[in-house]
Amino acid sequence: MPSAVERNREPILQVLKQYLSPPARVLEIGSGGAGHAIYFSEFFNNIQWVTSDVKENHPQITNALKKAMIKNLHGPETLKIGVDDFPKGSFDYVFSANTLHIMSWKQGKSLFKLLGKRLREGSLVFLYGPFNYDGKYTSPSNEVFDKCLKERDSKSGIRNSEDVFQSMQKYGFKLLKDHEMPANNRLLVFERLAFQPS
């Protein structure tokens, strides 16, 4: 039985190919077992891919990166949303898969604020996962998944796309494209706009 990463990595790759242009640096937020990082960094071998996650997930990322031995794959950097700042250096792209429904909405808004603070004009953000539309689930399986998330942690849950769009706009982003993906997931692509004087 293929893992979720193995099932979704090829459809995600096909979308990323439309946007990623080397040379560049990508920050992946919530790298987990580093499956996406390994797969994408091998394909985009002229792009530096930087993994990040909370400290407790570092051992599995470190082991995966050692086995992969990919020159343009880096990290893991420590990044706990609401606590840590971005790793040092500038990033052209930020990628995060299946994280918004795990973190609390307060953390989600902290993430959006951090993205607005640290990314330059023209930088892109890719957010992959399930989202609700008009406050409704897009499938019965997403409804079941959401209930499971909330049983495990009441602050988790599938986010409303409109809330994400509004919050990202607040911190200086516009939605470039909302890509429909397999298994009732989406890949949202945002672009950092020019900084407006306050």
Side-chain angles (χ1 to χ4, degrees):
M1 186 81 174
S3 68
V5 169
E6 289 170 334
R7 290 195 301 270
N8 66 36
R9 63 188 185 183
E10 184 59 31
I12 294 174
L13 174 63
Q14 294 310 312
V15 174
L16 292 180
K17 284 163 67 174
Q18 300 175 37
Y19 297 96
L20 267 57
S21 178
R25 294 182 82 221
V26 177
L27 174 63
E28 181 179 3
I29 296 175
S31 297
H36 283 134
I38 291 168
Y39 190 72
F40 300 146
S41 61
E42 281 193 294
F43 184 87
F44 297 106
N45 56 17
N46 288 321
I47 287 179
Q48 303 304 311
W49 194 282
V50 180
T51 58
S52 74
D53 212 314
V54 293
K55 201 81 172 179
E56 52 264 38
N57 289 340
H58 282 204
Q60 62 178 334
I61 298 174
T62 300
N63 290 336
L65 267 55
K66 281 183 179 177
K67 288 179 182 177
M69 293 190 299
I70 301 172
K71 289 182 178 180
N72 59 313
L73 184 54
H74 311 283
E77 300 286 346
T78 301
L79 182 51
K80 184 173 182 178
I81 301 303
V83 177
D84 301 309
D85 197 353
F86 270 16
K88 290 181 180 179
S90 61
F91 295 93
D92 307 284
Y93 307 104
V94 170
F95 171 80
S96 194
N98 294 318
T99 55
L100 277 182
H101 58 263
I102 301 297
M103 64 179 75
S104 69
W105 180 237
K106 182 180 179 181
Q107 286 177 308
K109 290 187 287 187
S110 295
L111 169 61
F112 305 148
K113 184 177 181 180
L114 186 60
L115 292 169
K117 177 182 174 184
R118 290 297 308 273
L119 293 180
R120 301 170 298 188
E121 179 183 352
S123 300
L124 300 183
V125 176
F126 303 90
L127 300 176
Y128 173 86
F131 295 93
N132 291 336
Y133 289 79
D134 296 320
K136 298 176 182 177
Y137 299 108
T138 59
S139 70
S141 61
N142 276 6
E143 183 174 4
V144 172
F145 180 52
D146 189 50
K147 288 179 180 177
C148 291
L149 288 168
K150 288 174 179 172
E151 284 173 3
R152 190 176 64 183
D153 183 347
S154 60
K155 293 181 180 179
S156 296
I158 295 177
R159 306 302 167 197
N160 289 317
S161 59
E162 294 84 5
D163 294 336
V164 176
F165 300 157
Q166 185 177 17
S167 194
M168 285 291 280
Q169 184 178 24
K170 177 182 177 181
Y171 293 112
F173 293 87
K174 72 172 181 181
L175 179 69
L176 275 188
K177 187 77 181 284
D178 178 351
H179 292 269
E180 186 174 356
M181 305 295 283
N184 303 300
N185 288 306
R186 316 291 293 199
L187 184 49
L188 310 180
V189 185
F190 294 92
E191 181 181 6
R192 183 66 171 96
L193 300 174
F195 285 83
Q196 299 296 323
S198 54

